[in-house]
Amino acid sequence: MTGPTGGLEVGAEVEVDVTAFAHGGHAIARHEGQVLFVRHALPGERVRAHVTSAGAGERFLRADAVDVVVASPDRVVPPCPWAGPGKCGGCDLQHVSLTAQRALKAGVVREQLARLAHLEVDVEVEPVPGDDAGLDWRSRVEFAVDDAGRAGLRRHRSHAVVPVDHCRIAAPGVDRLEVTEHPWSGLEAVDAVAPSLGEPVAVRVPEDGSGPVVRERVTTSWSGADGTTVTFDREFAVDARGFWQVHPGAAATFLAAVMGELDVRPGERALDLYCGVGLFASALAEAVGPTGQVVAVESDPSATEHARANLADQPQVAVVTARVDDAFGVARPSRRGTGRRSSAPRRAARSPLLPPSADVVVLDPPRTGAGKAICAEVARLRPRAIAYVACDPAALARDTAILAEAGYRLDRVRAFDAFPMTHHVECVATFRAG
C-alpha cells in the first residue's frame, strides 16, 4: 500500500532488513528511500513491518515488527505476554536478551556523544544491583484507568488502556497491591509505590487532598578524597508521587558513582542543582563537613519542603525553592505564539543564596537536560569538577558540547541499566576544568 507520492502509507506491510538501533528504542530499516523506525525488531533481522504512523512531514515512518522472517541470535521469547505489537507500551526490549539490551544501550550512548558532542567514548552499560533477570524491579508504577474503571497500562503512543493481569517488571510490593484486580471508577490513574521502608501504597489520581509520604533508605559506600572508604546510610521522606528513582538499587548506585568521582573535601563549597528531596546534597554535606557549604536548588515546593526536613541535622546546607534558571537570574525565553497575553521574556534576579563560585557541582536535570544557559552559569562558577546525572543520552551529549565550549572536558562516563526491558539508560558523567 503506497501513498500519493509513491511511499508507504499507514497500514502498509513490507519486508525490510533492519540495520541499526536508534535512540528511543526503535530499530532502523529502509524501504525505497523511506526510513522506518521499527519497534520489536533487532539489527541484523529481516522482519515484516506494519506501518503505524508517519513522522513530521512524512520524513520517516513508525512501524511494528509483526513477523520475524530472519531472527537475530539475541532475540528471546518475551517474558511478559503483554509485550509486543499493539500491547503494553511500557517495555520495548522484552524480546532482547539482557546482555544484548545493555550492548544496544551502550551503542546509543556512544552514538549520541559522537554525533552531538564529537567525542569517541568507550561506554559499557553496567547492571544495577537488585535484579538478575531484568524483572521485578520497578518500585513505582502508574496504572492508567479506563472508562469502565479497569486499571491497566497504556498502549504505545496511545491513550488506550491494556488491561494487563500484572506488570512483570514491577517490584513484588507493587504486585501485592493487586491494583489491576480492583475497580477504580472515576479515576484517571492509580500510582502503586513500594518504598524501601514501610508498606506499599496505592495513590488515587486525582488525589483527595495531599498524598501520602513514604520513606526511602539509601545505604552505599565509595572511596573518599583521602583514599578511605566512606559509608553512607540515611533515610529520606518523599511524596509517594514525587520523584525518586524507580529501581531499588539506583539511588545508591548513582550516589556512589557521583561521590566517588568528585572527591569532595572538607571545607569546600558545593552546589546540588535539581536536588529533589536532598539525596546528593546530604552526601555532599557530610563530605564538606561543618566548615563547608552546600546550596541545593529545586523547583518543586513539596520536594524542597521534604529536603529541608531530610537535611535538618546538616546546617551547612541551604535549600532554595526555585527553578534553576530563575535562581541563576537567567531570563526565560519569550512566549511568542503561545496565545498568552504576555509575550515578553520573564526577567529573573539571581538568588542571593547562590554563591559566586563553587568547588564542585552536581547536575541532575530533567530529561530535556540542563541547556545552554544553565551550563554557562555553572561554568562561570569555575568548579574544579562537575558531576552530571543524565536520564537521556542525547541531552547529555548536547550539554557535553556546551560545557566543552566553556572549558570543561568530559573526563568519564558511566552508564547504568536502571530500566531493564526498556530502552532507557542512566549516565553519570564527570567534567573537569581544563
Side-chain angles (χ1 to χ4, degrees):
M1 185 186 302
T2 59
T5 59
L8 295 172
E9 64 178 20
V10 174
E13 290 191 0
V14 62
E15 280 195 13
V16 291
D17 293 314
V18 180
T19 58
F21 187 75
H23 175 43
H26 302 84
I28 299 176
R30 286 175 171 80
H31 176 74
E32 297 181 356
Q34 283 187 297
V35 175
L36 280 75
F37 290 120
V38 187
R39 297 185 82 234
H40 315 294
L42 278 166
E45 293 188 328
R46 183 167 182 82
V47 301
R48 190 169 86 253
H50 176 85
V51 178
T52 57
S53 63
E58 297 188 354
R59 290 174 297 158
F60 61 88
L61 300 170
R62 298 185 183 91
D64 285 337
V66 294
D67 186 35
V68 180
V69 180
V70 178
S72 163
D74 295 321
R75 178 173 286 274
V76 298
V77 177
C80 178
W82 305 104
K87 300 178 182 178
C88 172
C91 294
D92 34 31
L93 295 180
Q94 290 255 359
H95 61 289
V96 189
S97 72
L98 203 54
T99 299
Q101 288 181 34
R102 292 169 183 158
L104 290 174
K105 295 177 189 184
V108 168
V109 176
R110 288 193 297 268
E111 190 272 337
Q112 294 299 311
L113 286 168
R115 186 172 64 87
L116 298 174
H118 309 294
L119 293 174
E120 297 296 327
V121 181
D122 187 22
V123 178
E124 177 184 349
V125 174
E126 306 171 40
V128 173
D131 67 271
D132 297 324
L135 305 173
D136 303 322
W137 56 267
R138 191 176 182 100
S139 62
R140 291 167 179 249
V141 179
E142 181 174 276
F143 292 91
V145 177
D146 65 16
D147 293 340
R150 296 175 301 181
L153 298 170
R154 298 282 189 193
R155 188 175 298 156
H156 179 63
R157 295 181 61 85
S158 171
H159 292 292
V161 178
V162 179
V164 304
D165 52 356
H166 72 95
C167 176
R168 269 51 175 188
I169 65 171
V174 170
D175 287 338
R176 288 204 305 272
L177 292 169
E178 298 181 338
V179 172
T180 60
E181 298 182 22
H182 301 287
W184 303 93
S185 298
L187 298 183
E188 298 173 4
V190 178
D191 275 5
V193 181
S196 56
L197 297 173
E199 293 299 311
V201 296
V203 185
R204 302 162 67 91
V205 183
E207 303 171 54
D208 295 325
S210 59
V213 175
V214 298
R215 299 196 68 83
E216 301 282 359
R217 184 173 184 176
V218 179
T219 303
T220 189
S221 62
W222 57 86
S223 294
D226 59 359
T228 60
T229 298
V230 177
T231 299
F232 182 90
D233 186 4
R234 197 172 180 90
E235 294 182 16
F236 296 87
V238 57
D239 283 346
R241 298 196 71 224
F243 176 77
W244 188 260
Q245 292 292 341
V246 297
H247 193 297
T253 299
F254 301 161
L255 181 63
V258 165
M259 297 302 294
E261 290 292 329
L262 288 180
D263 292 331
V264 184
R265 301 152 193 168
E268 288 194 316
R269 177 185 287 157
L271 257 65
D272 180 9
L273 304 179
Y274 314 93
C275 73
V277 299
L279 172 63
F280 295 112
S282 179
L284 291 168
E286 289 188 6
V288 303
T291 61
Q293 180 189 24
V294 179
V295 178
V297 183
E298 168 61 47
S299 63
D300 183 78
S302 177
T304 50
E305 181 181 346
H306 287 306
R308 292 188 181 95
N310 292 333
L311 309 174
D313 63 331
Q314 297 175 304
Q316 63 270 49
V317 183
V319 179
V320 180
T321 305
R323 284 174 47 127
V324 172
D325 51 2
D326 288 349
F328 275 114
V330 173
R332 298 186 200 173
S334 64
R335 296 181 286 189
R336 299 184 191 280
T338 63
R340 299 185 182 183
R341 182 168 58 182
S342 174
S343 61
R346 184 190 186 281
R347 296 182 179 179
R350 182 187 176 94
S351 170
L353 294 176
L354 247 62
S357 63
D359 297 294
V360 295
V361 175
V362 176
L363 278 165
D364 189 5
R367 188 167 300 279
T368 52
K372 187 172 184 177
I374 301 304
C375 287
E377 292 296 330
V378 168
R380 287 191 186 99
L381 298 171
R382 303 314 303 166
R384 59 176 177 79
I386 302 167
Y388 189 125
V389 183
C391 58
D392 184 271
L396 171 63
R398 288 192 295 269
D399 287 345
T400 295
I402 295 167
L403 288 168
E405 292 178 359
Y408 282 84
R409 60 179 173 82
L410 178 62
D411 186 59
R412 187 183 184 189
V413 178
R414 294 180 69 185
F416 298 97
D417 195 15
F419 309 92
M421 302 295 166
T422 81
H423 72 273
H424 298 290
V425 61
E426 197 91 7
C427 295
V428 175
T430 310
F431 299 86
R432 304 196 189 277

